[in-house]
Amino acid sequence: MTKKQPIFIFGPCSAESEEQVISTARELKKYFDKIIFRAGIWKPRTRPGNFEGMGTEALPWLVRVKEEFGFEVCTEVANTDHVEACLKAGIDQLWIGARTTVNPFSVQEIADALQGVDIPVMVKNPIHPDFNLWLGAIERIEKAGIKEISAIHRGFHHYDNAPYRNYPDWDMAIKMKTMRPHTPVICDASHISGIPSLIPHVAQKALNLDMDGLLIETHIQPEVALSDAKQQVTPSQLNDIIRGLDFKKPTSDNPDYTEKISALRTQIDALDEQIIESIGKRMNLAEDIGKYKHEQGVTVFQQQRWAFVRQRYFDWGASLGLSPPFIETLLTALHDESILKQEIEE
Ligand code: PEP
Ligand code: MN
């Protein structure tokens, strides 16, 4: 069984000059034969006055990359003019950035401009963790008739982002793969990490979770980059990162593999059945308690009891090696559902 070849999207955050674009591509070609070369030419910056991209002047530089190095080229679009300029120039793929995905008006404008056009489009997740906004943007592009769509997980703004620049939500990336098995999900390890030292860890996690590609920003001289200088790596550093990753296979050729995995999965399935049955029984008891509390005029939420249950679970969980965040998530889900069951009867 051969290892899966992920989609590689490499190139600078922004196209800054013809020389910077071409020398980055030339250096990348030394290490990688087949990549999609990226460079932003219209840059959505948080505050005015920062470098906002070179605009249409940079389109021929990307076309040169395609002609001289044989890479497909892509850039970010945020409105009709951008789409039209890219189509006219012969850009191979487009992406919609996180600040655009949040706005259905903008996404619809792009979708309208793409009506009847055959070009692959990648949709980054919105800035904040709203799955439906991400899905909705993909659906708008799909409705315009675009066949090749991928989703890019670039992390989310979070009240406490550390250690990441944008917090990864792997569950959401997995949800996208589950809901849309035909849509590749690419991990933007650069915008999640924010610093080069985190990129290998984020990229490896993406491979372990069977994500379909990696986006990593690459600049010929990261320290003088006009945008995202802190997170970009040189093509040679990128090569080291990629060579250091452990690429996974979808399954194993080892004759014992299937048998061993099935035996373990049978045990897991049996335990899952017990868990679901126990939760069902627990919720029935919660309903009985709810009815009784109602008869007696007692509140559904009981602070002391909840504090006692929580402590017991955390202690017990710790003794079994279960992490406090996991116990917190599990308990919150059980408690929320339990309260809902009790309230329905009132
Ligand atoms: C980018 O890819 O350079 C970019 C602006 O990313 P995002 O939309 O994810 O912030
Ligand atoms: Mn960037």
Side-chain angles (χ1 to χ4, degrees):
M1 182 59 59
T2 52
K3 294 186 180 172
K4 201 167 135 177
Q5 168 66 54
I7 302 161
F8 286 148
I9 304 174
F10 302 151
C13 179
S14 303
E16 299 165 7
S17 69
E18 185 161 13
E19 164 58 19
Q20 171 251 5
V21 168
I22 300 298
S23 56
T24 304
R26 183 176 298 118
E27 197 66 13
L28 277 169
K29 189 72 185 183
K30 286 190 190 161
Y31 306 109
F32 306 100
D33 194 44
K34 194 167 178 279
I35 60 162
I36 303 172
F37 184 88
R38 64 149 282 153
I41 66 178
W42 297 283
K43 296 304 295 175
R45 305 311 298 272
T46 307
R47 296 184 62 197
N50 289 324
F51 173 66
E52 295 196 331
M54 298 302 291
T56 45
E57 187 192 340
L59 284 169
W61 309 341
L62 287 183
V63 175
R64 241 190 97 185
V65 167
K66 180 169 147 156
E67 287 166 358
E68 286 184 29
F69 306 105
F71 295 149
E72 280 194 57
V73 292
C74 66
T75 197
E76 173 172 348
V77 291
N79 60 36
T80 308
D81 289 348
H82 297 168
V83 172
E84 285 174 356
C86 287
L87 295 177
K88 199 161 152 231
I91 300 301
D92 299 298
Q93 303 209 17
L94 307 175
W95 87 78
I96 298 180
R99 287 161 195 77
T100 306
T101 307
V102 285
N103 184 349
F105 288 131
S106 301
V107 176
Q108 192 56 50
E109 179 183 326
I110 296 169
D112 292 343
L114 286 169
Q115 195 74 42
V117 178
D118 182 17
I119 187 167
V121 177
M122 301 178 272
V123 182
K124 287 204 177 198
N125 65 249
I127 302 261
H128 60 291
D130 183 332
F131 182 78
N132 283 335
L133 212 43
W134 193 12
L135 184 63
I138 290 176
E139 288 168 345
R140 283 178 198 276
I141 300 301
E142 191 167 49
K143 278 190 160 188
I146 297 293
K147 300 269 179 307
E148 276 184 66
I149 303 178
S150 20
I152 301 182
H153 172 218
R154 51 76 82 192
F156 298 91
H157 186 74
H158 198 264
Y159 64 91
D160 176 17
N161 264 3
Y164 302 102
R165 176 178 178 197
N166 289 292
Y167 218 86
D169 188 330
W170 301 106
D171 289 344
M172 221 187 272
I174 289 171
K175 186 170 170 185
M176 185 59 83
K177 277 178 80 76
T178 311
M179 278 190 76
R180 297 181 55 96
H182 50 292
T183 302
V185 181
I186 292 160
C187 168
D188 176 348
S190 292
H191 291 88
I192 290 177
S193 301
I195 45 167
S197 59
L198 266 184
I199 293 175
H201 154 79
V202 171
Q204 186 62 56
K205 175 96 182 176
L207 295 179
N208 295 349
L209 295 178
D210 199 22
M211 296 295 137
D212 304 282
L214 296 173
L215 185 161
I216 300 177
E217 287 186 337
T218 324
H219 192 290
I220 193 72
Q221 237 185 316
E223 62 283 6
V224 298
L226 298 178
S227 61
D228 286 351
K230 283 199 200 120
Q231 72 194 26
Q232 300 200 65
V233 293
T234 63
S236 145
Q237 288 168 329
L238 176 64
N239 182 47
D240 290 343
I241 292 173
I242 297 297
R243 304 295 156 219
L245 294 173
D246 181 9
F247 290 85
K248 306 287 181 182
K249 304 172 283 191
T251 184
S252 166
D253 295 330
N254 185 335
D256 295 339
Y257 172 81
T258 314
E259 205 179 311
K260 183 142 192 213
I261 284 283
S262 327
L264 290 168
R265 283 183 177 154
T266 307
Q267 290 182 50
I268 291 251
D269 291 347
L271 286 173
D272 282 349
E273 272 166 36
Q274 284 177 26
I275 291 171
I276 290 291
E277 269 190 27
S278 299
I279 292 177
K281 284 185 193 154
R282 191 190 193 283
M283 291 308 157
N284 290 341
L285 284 172
E287 256 180 60
D288 292 347
I289 289 183
K291 276 183 212 151
Y292 191 56
K293 280 181 188 162
H294 185 61
E295 272 170 37
Q296 300 294 315
V298 169
T299 54
V300 167
F301 180 59
Q302 301 271 314
Q303 193 156 7
Q304 268 185 345
R305 162 78 184 157
W306 179 226
F308 168 76
V309 170
R310 277 174 66 85
Q311 198 48 54
R312 188 165 165 261
Y313 270 74
F314 277 108
D315 294 346
W316 196 13
S319 73
L320 292 170
L322 302 173
S323 72
F326 171 71
I327 295 288
E328 182 73 52
T329 309
L330 181 66
L331 262 182
T332 305
L334 284 174
H335 193 240
D336 287 354
E337 180 72 2
S338 192
I339 286 196
L340 216 63
K341 287 273 183 212
Q342 296 187 39
E343 278 177 340
I344 282 167
E345 296 304 321
E346 301 211 17

